[in-house]
Amino acid sequence: MDGQQLQQVLNPQRMKSLNEWMQNSSITLRQVNGQRKYGGPPPGWRGPPPGSGCEVFISQIPRDVFEDWLIPLFQSVGTIYEFRLMMNFSGQNRGFAYAKYCDPITASAAVMTLHHYRLPDGGSLTVRRSTEKRQLRLGDLPTTINQVELLTVLRMVSDGVEDVQLKMAGSKGREAVALVNYSSHYAASMAKKVLVQAFKKQYGIPITVKWTSFSKPKHVDEPIQEDDLFTPPCLSPLPKPSITPPHLHPQPSLHDVPPHTPLQPFFRAVGGPTGPPRDEMMPQAPVNRDAVSQLQWLCELYRLGTPQYDICYHHTSFDGFLCFSFKVLIPSVPLPLCGVIKILPGTSVEAMKREVYLAAAEQVIQTMSKASNLLPF
């Protein structure tokens, strides 16, 4: 394509606007294998990357709309960890992009706020939760290959390989098939682009590479890993990101609570400790604490560990309520405490986070109350 043809494809005014925005905002965009990336991580980020459930998929993007318009729009909802706009060789976008936020609640807010967002030309964006597929199926592998060898080869030719499962398929087991798990959807996407040619060039093996059709998120009954728990945005240096909600009030001390709180039946029922020694005398706790602080205080009293919250947006009901599912993990209690929360859309993402956490903590306290017939506050 010559310069004149390229100018006909690209809108000069839009390109000028993009370049000016990059200069004025000091934004850096990187072209990587058909994708133009911002962030991953963004400047000033501290801590690990966001876990699953934090990415949204954006489609119906006009071909001459670029990051100077898209990134500010999606940043209006919350901090963007990474933004990827799919590009073709002409310099136009391919009509879709991915935005990854710092936590699942902000991603949910982006879907609720920007889905069907009206564009100046009369169209509208489609914004949905990203499937974030991370598993590839490699077919037509030689039956002589073993799992350790294959894992070594995959890590040589692609980044982010976590593990591989090898099995025999086809009639009479004449074909070896591998399921390869990657650390992220992006890593799996990049591997999908290069594995066929890499195996053919370096090993003379014509293989097939496809997304697995049965990749799915974790079932609600599967154990949650620490990386899956909600981590609030952390753009300032922290030794370790918090996986608990922000303190809504000063946290209580064990010296502020009574020693004979009768919740022993609940903790015996779930296999936890039965409480502090009875010879510890402490004054009565204040009652004007919110539910999050009350649950924290209760866990301190019985030496159960800090509650950890796993919050996930589920759907929007027909009457406009936002429905979230939650699990609260208490280290000394073997089973997670689960439930569903319905809230109305709030004035901000932070306000909705606060309301969801308060509702989750309140439900957990009610569960404990029903198990023991009495709460300490």
Side-chain angles (χ1 to χ4, degrees):
M1 181 178 294
D2 59 29
Q4 184 176 0
Q5 289 175 316
L6 183 63
Q7 189 172 7
Q8 291 175 352
V9 170
L10 299 178
N11 184 323
Q13 186 58 41
R14 292 288 175 86
M15 295 303 300
K16 180 181 178 182
S17 175
L18 173 64
N19 292 329
E20 290 177 349
W21 173 76
M22 291 175 61
Q23 292 177 0
N24 294 335
S25 61
S26 299
I27 291 287
T28 300
L29 302 177
R30 295 176 288 123
Q31 188 88 18
V32 183
N33 293 330
Q35 304 182 41
R36 198 157 63 195
K37 289 182 59 179
Y38 158 76
W45 180 267
R46 296 293 185 273
S52 61
C54 299
E55 188 172 76
V56 299
F57 172 68
I58 310 152
S59 59
Q60 307 298 319
I61 303 173
R63 296 303 178 93
D64 60 351
V65 169
F66 300 110
E67 291 88 346
D68 60 311
W69 190 84
L70 292 168
I71 289 180
L73 175 64
F74 282 85
Q75 276 185 332
S76 68
V77 177
T79 300
I80 291 177
Y81 173 82
E82 180 182 77
F83 190 92
R84 297 184 286 126
L85 181 63
M86 305 301 114
M87 305 294 295
N88 60 29
F89 290 110
S90 70
Q92 290 181 315
N93 76 63
R94 294 166 57 194
F96 64 99
Y98 296 88
K100 178 170 286 190
Y101 288 95
C102 300
D103 58 77
I105 295 180
T106 308
S108 300
V111 173
M112 293 181 289
T113 304
L114 300 177
H115 184 49
H116 295 317
Y117 185 88
R118 301 296 297 178
L119 300 170
D121 63 359
S124 62
L125 296 176
T126 297
V127 183
R128 303 186 186 279
R129 297 297 287 266
S130 172
T131 56
E132 297 185 79
K133 293 181 179 179
R134 301 185 182 191
Q135 190 179 77
L136 295 177
R137 180 187 186 277
L138 276 57
D140 298 326
L141 294 167
T143 56
T144 55
I145 196 167
N146 66 55
Q147 189 163 307
V148 175
E149 291 174 344
L150 180 58
L151 182 61
T152 302
V153 168
L154 288 169
R155 286 177 170 167
M156 289 174 59
V157 299
S158 62
D159 296 327
V161 179
E162 291 190 333
D163 58 68
V164 61
Q165 301 173 23
L166 192 62
K167 61 181 182 179
M168 296 300 145
S171 60
K172 300 181 180 180
R174 294 178 180 175
E175 176 192 358
V177 173
L179 302 179
V180 187
N181 293 308
Y182 283 84
S183 59
S184 67
H185 175 70
Y186 175 74
S189 298
M190 295 299 99
K192 187 173 182 291
K193 294 176 182 292
V194 303
L195 285 179
V196 172
Q197 289 300 320
F199 270 73
K200 187 174 181 180
K201 180 178 179 180
Q202 297 187 33
Y203 307 103
I205 303 174
I207 68 169
T208 60
V209 180
K210 300 178 181 179
W211 293 109
T212 55
S213 59
F214 50 86
S215 292
K216 61 182 181 179
K218 293 184 177 177
H219 190 271
V220 293
D221 293 330
E222 292 182 5
I224 301 174
Q225 303 299 320
E226 181 171 323
D227 288 345
D228 296 326
L229 299 173
F230 170 70
T231 303
C234 45
L235 295 178
S236 58
L238 290 173
K240 183 179 179 181
S242 171
I243 53 176
T244 58
H247 298 330
L248 303 178
H249 286 284
Q251 291 300 302
S253 167
L254 285 176
H255 298 289
D256 296 330
V257 297
H260 304 309
T261 305
L263 284 177
Q264 280 82 359
F266 168 77
F267 298 115
R268 281 198 295 268
V270 299
T274 58
R278 290 185 174 273
D279 58 355
E280 294 181 15
M281 299 303 295
M282 308 172 200
Q284 178 68 41
V287 297
N288 59 341
R289 300 187 188 278
D290 58 65
V292 170
S293 296
Q294 287 178 344
L295 180 58
Q296 175 69 26
W297 162 71
L298 184 62
C299 290
E300 285 190 11
L301 171 64
Y302 285 93
R303 302 190 179 109
L304 300 177
T306 301
Q308 299 174 334
Y309 294 71
D310 177 39
I311 307 290
C312 182
Y313 168 72
H314 194 273
H315 69 283
T316 301
S317 64
F318 70 93
D319 52 358
F321 280 87
L322 311 179
C323 300
F324 295 83
S325 61
F326 72 85
K327 287 185 181 182
V328 176
L329 304 182
I330 300 175
S332 294
V333 177
L335 298 176
L337 302 172
C338 307
V340 177
I341 298 163
K342 294 174 67 175
I343 67 170
L344 287 171
T347 56
S348 68
V349 173
E350 291 302 320
M352 289 191 291
K353 286 181 186 177
R354 176 187 171 89
E355 187 172 356
V356 169
Y357 274 118
L358 290 172
E362 186 172 352
Q363 285 195 31
V364 170
I365 293 171
Q366 289 174 358
T367 299
M368 292 179 173
S369 176
K370 290 176 183 177
S372 62
N373 298 319
L374 188 61
L375 278 175
F377 33 74

